C-alpha cells in the first residue's frame, strides 16, 4: 500500500515538474514522442496542404470542366432562339486563332528569352532590319494580286529557297487546297505570311522562325527552267497585296 502511494506521489511530482518547464525547452525526444499520437513535430508548410495535392480541389476542377462541356453541348442542341447570342459568342471565340507569336513576343519582353535546353546553331548571316518585311526570294511577279484577291505568284531561279519575310511562329505546315504544300507563319503584329506551291517544306508546326530563315523550296515551272511559289499576306482576317508591304525589285 505504501509503495502504491509512493508511486502516485512520484507521478504527481513528475507532472508538476513537466508543467513548470518554460516554453520552448522541450527536447527532441519529447517532440518525437508526440508524433505517434497525431501531433505534428513541425509547424511548417506541408505538401499535403497545397491545393495541387488536395483530391477535393482536383476533382472539383474536373467536375467543373465536365459541367461546362455539357452546358455548351445542350446549348447548341436546344432549338431556342434565346440561346442564339450565347451560341454566337462561343462560335466567335472558338474560331479565333491563338496568337502564338504575340504571346511569345510579350513573354520575351516581360521575362526575357526562355531557357534554351539545346544549343542554337551559329548563324553568321545578318538580315536587314530596316524593313518590317524582307524579300522571301529573288523573284519577279508573274501573277498579280488582282487575279485572285488573295496572293501573288513569283518566279525565281531553279532550285531557289523561300525565306520567311518576318519572324514568327509556324501555325500551318502541310497541304492546302489550291496552293499545294504551304507554310503559314503568324507574326507578332498579328499578321500572317503564306508560302504556297512549295516543292519541299523545311519547317515544322509551331516552330519559331526568324526573318530570313528558310521555310521551303520552290517548285519547278512548267518548262522546268525556272522556279515559282505562291505568296500571300493576311491582316485582320483579310488578304492584302504583298506589294504594299514588300519592295519587289
Amino acid at each position: 500500500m505504501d509503495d502504491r502511494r509512493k508511486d502516485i506521489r512520484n507521478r504527481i511530482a513528475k507532472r508538476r515538474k513537466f508543467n513548470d518547464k518554460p516554453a520552448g525547452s522541450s527536447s527532441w525526444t519529447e517532440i518525437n514522442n508526440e508524433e505517434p499520437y497525431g501531433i505534428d513535430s513541425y509547424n511548417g508548410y506541408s505538401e499535403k496542404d497545397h491545393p495541387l495535392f488536395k483530391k477535393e480541389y482536383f476533382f472539383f476542377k474536373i467536375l467543373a470542366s465536365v459541367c461546362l462541356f455539357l452546358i455548351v453541348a445542350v446549348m447548341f442542341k436546344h432549338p431556342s432562339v434565346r440561346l442564339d447570342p450565347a451560341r454566337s459568342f462561343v462560335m466567335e471565340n472558338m474560331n479565333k486563332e491563338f496568337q502564338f507569336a504575340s504571346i511569345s513576343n510579350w513573354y520575351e519582353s516581360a521575362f526575357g528569352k526562355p531557357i534554351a535546353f539545346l544549343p542554337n546553331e551559329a548563324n553568321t548571316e545578318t538580315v536587314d532590319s530596316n524593313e518590317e518585311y524582307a524579300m522571301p526570294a529573288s523573284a519577279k511577279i508573274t501573277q498579280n494580286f488582282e487575279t485572285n484577291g488573295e496572293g501573288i505568284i513569283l518566279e525565281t531561279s531553279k532550285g531557289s529557297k523561300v525565306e520567311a519575310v518576318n519572324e514568327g511562329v509556324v501555325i500551318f505546315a502541310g497541304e492546302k487546297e489550291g496552293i499545294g504544300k504551304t507554310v503559314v507563319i503568324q507574326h507578332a503584329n498579328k499578321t500572317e505570311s503564306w508560302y504556297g506551291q512549295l516543292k519541299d517544306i523545311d519547317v515544322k508546326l509551331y516552330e519559331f522562325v526568324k526573318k530570313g530563315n528558310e521555310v521551303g523550296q520552290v517548285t519547278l515551272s512548267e518548262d522546268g527552267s525556272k522556279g515559282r511559289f505562291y505568296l500571300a499576306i493576311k491582316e485582320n482576317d483579310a488578304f492584302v497585296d504583298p506589294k504594299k508591304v514588300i519592295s519587289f525589285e
Side-chain angles (χ1 to χ4, degrees):
M1 189 70 176
D2 292 336
D3 292 339
R4 186 175 179 183
R5 290 179 180 176
K6 185 178 180 180
D7 185 44
I8 292 174
R9 291 194 188 100
N10 290 337
R11 288 183 183 180
I12 293 174
K14 286 182 179 180
R15 284 185 183 180
R16 287 178 179 175
K17 185 178 180 181
F18 179 79
N19 293 332
D20 291 340
K21 283 185 178 181
S25 63
S26 56
S27 64
W28 283 103
T29 305
E30 292 170 352
I31 293 176
N32 291 332
N33 288 337
E34 292 175 346
E35 290 181 357
Y37 301 97
I39 302 175
D40 291 335
S41 61
Y42 178 67
N43 294 327
Y45 186 77
S46 175
E47 286 186 353
K48 65 182 180 181
D49 296 326
H50 195 280
L52 292 177
F53 296 94
K54 290 184 178 180
K55 293 182 179 179
E56 297 82 1
Y57 185 74
F58 179 74
F59 287 123
F60 173 77
K61 291 195 293 184
I62 294 178
L63 181 61
S65 301
V66 173
C67 291
L68 181 60
F69 175 79
L70 292 175
I71 290 172
V72 174
V74 171
M75 182 174 62
F76 276 87
K77 288 292 184 180
H78 200 282
S80 175
V81 294
R82 294 182 179 180
L83 298 176
D84 286 344
R87 284 191 285 261
S88 300
F89 175 79
V90 174
M91 289 295 295
E92 181 182 354
N93 284 276
M94 291 298 292
N95 287 331
K96 288 182 179 179
E97 291 182 345
F98 186 78
Q99 297 297 323
F100 292 97
S102 298
I103 297 299
S104 176
N105 189 58
W106 168 83
Y107 183 90
E108 288 188 7
S109 62
F111 305 104
K113 290 186 178 293
I115 298 174
F117 293 96
L118 296 176
N120 293 328
E121 295 181 358
N123 186 8
T124 58
E125 297 181 0
T126 57
V127 180
D128 183 10
S129 59
N130 292 331
E131 295 181 358
E132 186 175 4
Y133 294 95
M135 280 281 290
S138 179
K140 66 177 182 180
I141 300 174
T142 57
Q143 180 177 303
N144 57 31
F145 180 75
E146 288 74 22
T147 303
N148 58 20
E150 291 187 354
I152 59 177
I153 303 295
L154 295 168
E155 184 182 86
T156 69
S157 59
K158 184 178 178 181
S160 294
K161 293 288 187 178
V162 180
E163 300 175 349
V165 299
N166 200 358
E167 68 177 22
V169 178
V170 178
I171 61 172
F172 183 86
E175 293 279 344
K176 269 193 179 294
E177 186 178 357
I179 52 177
K181 290 183 179 180
T182 303
V183 172
V184 179
I185 298 177
Q186 186 185 85
H187 308 290
N189 59 1
K190 299 183 181 180
T191 62
E192 297 174 1
S193 54
W194 294 36
Y195 313 83
Q197 296 187 10
L198 301 175
K199 179 183 178 182
D200 297 308
I201 294 176
D202 298 331
V203 292
K204 297 179 181 179
L205 188 63
Y206 303 130
E207 178 181 347
F208 179 82
V209 295
K210 295 181 179 179
K211 182 191 291 186
N213 285 167
E214 295 177 357
V215 299
Q217 187 176 357
V218 299
T219 58
L220 292 175
S221 58
E222 293 179 358
D223 60 5
S225 62
K226 299 286 185 180
R228 67 179 182 183
F229 71 100
Y230 171 88
L231 176 66
I233 303 294
K234 195 174 184 181
E235 183 177 357
N236 297 327
D237 297 327
F239 289 97
V240 298
D241 191 346
K243 290 191 297 183
K244 294 182 178 181
V245 295
I246 300 174
S247 299
F248 292 94
E249 298 179 355

